[in-house]
Amino acid sequence: MEKKVDNTEETLNVDALFMGPKSENHKYFKETLNFLMDEHIHWRRDFHPDDKPVVSLREQREPDFEATLERTTNALLELSSKLKASSMPWFSARYLGHMNSDTLMAANLAYMATILYNPNNCAYEGAPATTALEIEVGKQFATMLGFDPEKAWGHITTDGTIANYEGLWVARNLKSIPPAIKEVKPELVEGMDDWQLLNLPTGKILDLVSKAKEAEVFEAVRERSVRGTGMQSGKLGKLLVPQSKHYSWTKAADVLGIGQANMVYVQVKENYRMDIEVLRATIDKFVSEKTPILGVVTVAGTTEEGAIDEVHEVVKLRDEYEKAGISFYIHVDAAYGGYMRSVFLDENDRFMDFDDLKERLHDGGILHKEIDWPSRDVYDAYKAMAEVDSITLDPHKMGYVPYAAGGVALKDKRAIDLISYFAAYVFEKTEDNPMLLGSYIMEGSKAGASAAAVWAAHRVVPLNIMGYGRIVGRSVEGAARFYNSLLSTSANEIEAAGKKFMVAPLTRPDFNIVDFAFNEVGNTSLEAMDKLNQKIYEQCSYNSGPVFNDDWITSKTDLAYEDYGDAPKPFVARLGIPAEEWDAVRSVYVIRSCVLTPFLTNNTTYAEYWGNFMNTIRDVLAFVVNLG
Ligand SMILES: *Cc1c(COP(=O)(O)O)cnc(C)c1O
């Protein structure tokens, strides 16, 4: 039976979702904001209408009263000047830098309206309205990521960093549970040796937790787990993360006492995805030494390249190892790419067949017909997310929601008990009435306004192909266009200050980040090429002074051997740099453009955009060359 399709979702117009690069939708925005402010003003007045005003009209005319308001006005005008003088114009397609763009009007207005009510989602009693919204959003995260929303658990975090901490927190505590059970109630794990105890699949460990609760020893077990005993170096094994990891993982290992010595960086391939064969060899090596694997982190997509790790291969590997009695936790760091899973879901939240998806992307006008996306690997990776233990996703990245809003989802909500500071069992009893979010998440006080912003965004833009799919589709298309233009700009085509230049993209984007670099035709020095791109970046960023006059704004990154091995070698070769140069320098400076903007798709607009971009680059190159 087909569920009825909501017609309003069919007609979602992406251009009506944002304020717009030229504030095109300012009228609607202001009117609605005004209305929401009025609502709040009346709300205050309507609370015990017969209470007398505390501030009188007479007092409001007193000199010190007026002077106080003037101080407030002055402070705000000063702030406004500062904001206008040096903020980043994310809303414009001229900004192709960090993971940022215009944000949804619904989210901005929801945030602004909610902040006046100042709810604190740490505790239900401080935020009955917005705590409920956060719980609802958590279920939506779970559904979008392929988990059963009734069995999973999700919530809003400050950011992706905290979400990663929470994933590792669960993985760490989980791993330490079976040995603790053996100490407290050995009959529950009868016949298992220490190696087996450290290699149980997540579901089995959580079944044991349920049994420990039934036997009324769960509190004692928790005390014997890592939360009571602290980390004993190395005992819980190694955390395997790809070289391309976000630095929050390095911090997480520190904060959670894993220790850098127990972090193992797995090499990436030329496409910046974790090398699965290297992962397998790494696991084999540790297993042969009887060192357990605490967990494997996969990334979708990487912060610097937007590469989507082959999550499906990691899941396959785990399932294969489980047959040999070895298991490990899998966390997907989809801080960046999490929302992209919405593209793969039909309006009934079903993960579509590959061919259906392609057809709908093209026939539904979501992606230009000539853009062949996603690749089978990317599709399979997203499909496999349903099989992992936990996932990070950032509404403040591809969710187009203002800061700060991250998120995390766990496949099996029973895992909450391992990090909760409630007495055991309480969580389940109060699930529908979550009294104290703060006692089973990493944060304490947290803005209910963020929850309201994410909730409103999801309300307007459904987490499927008809909603976020349309926005993500536009972003993917913008990135594909930009990549194709760079790719087809042949050597010698760019002339500036009497010199010729070439440009090359790093790799075909899995998603929407385009990294690239320029080189002077004939130059074979990697150092000189790095310097050139650094100077270009400096002219196209805050480094050259206030960005308000910049014609194009971007970000950059270094791809160095210690992080990426030789993965960048073929790239520098394409720019005419000999292999020996790479072997000597082992680091390349690239321009990094995250194409989140939904405003780089229309044919005529894009052609104009590309022309302007090339003119800007010629000007910048001429400036840089003349600078010497
Ligand atoms: C952005 C990002 C993070 C960190 O998220 P914040 O919200 O900035 O804390 C973690 N992992 C990946 C892959 C990211 O792209």
Side-chain angles (χ1 to χ4, degrees), residues 99 157-164 244-249 251 298-304 307 332-337 392-397 403-407 513 592:
M99 298 163 159
T157 56
T158 298
D159 57 14
T161 298
I162 301 290
N164 283 343
S244 54
K245 89 271 158 222
H246 184 267
Y247 70 100
S248 53
W249 288 101
K251 293 199 281 183
T298 60
V299 186
T302 61
T303 314
E304 307 299 344
V332 179
D333 181 359
Y336 188 39
T392 291
L393 78 169
D394 269 359
H396 65 207
K397 287 180 178 166
Y403 298 112
I513 298 184
R592 164 179 170 269

Side-chain angles (χ1 to χ4, degrees), residues 461-480:
V461 188
L463 293 160
N464 60 41
I465 191 166
M466 301 312 290
Y468 273 97
R470 286 188 179 276
I471 308 178
V472 174
R474 281 209 188 182
S475 145
V476 165
E477 179 170 333

Side-chain angles (χ1 to χ4, degrees), residues 19 29 33 36-37 40 105-118 402 449-450 452-453:
M19 174 100 85
F29 192 95
L33 182 61
L36 293 167
M37 293 294 132
H40 180 81
M105 282 199 288
N108 292 337
L109 290 166
Y111 194 100
M112 289 161 134
T114 309
I115 208 84
L116 293 173
Y117 296 82
N118 201 22
S450 297

Side-chain angles (χ1 to χ4, degrees), residues 196-209:
Q196 286 169 310
L197 292 175
L198 287 167
N199 276 292
L200 291 176
T202 301
K204 289 254 162 63
I205 301 176
L206 294 172
D207 289 346
L208 281 173
V209 165

Side-chain angles (χ1 to χ4, degrees), residues 95-159:
Y95 181 89
L96 294 186
H98 290 283
M99 298 163 159
N100 208 329
S101 96
D102 205 354
T103 44
L104 296 163
M105 282 199 288
N108 292 337
L109 290 166
Y111 194 100
M112 289 161 134
T114 309
I115 208 84
L116 293 173
Y117 296 82
N118 201 22
N120 175 0
N121 278 20
C122 178
Y124 188 81
E125 66 174 14
T130 52
T131 303
L133 301 184
E134 180 161 351
I135 301 300
E136 191 178 335
V137 164
K139 287 191 197 287
Q140 294 165 342
F141 284 161
T143 303
M144 173 172 61
L145 296 169
F147 297 157
D148 176 346
E150 295 313 313
K151 294 194 177 134
W153 162 249
H155 75 97
I156 295 168
T157 56
T158 298
D159 57 14

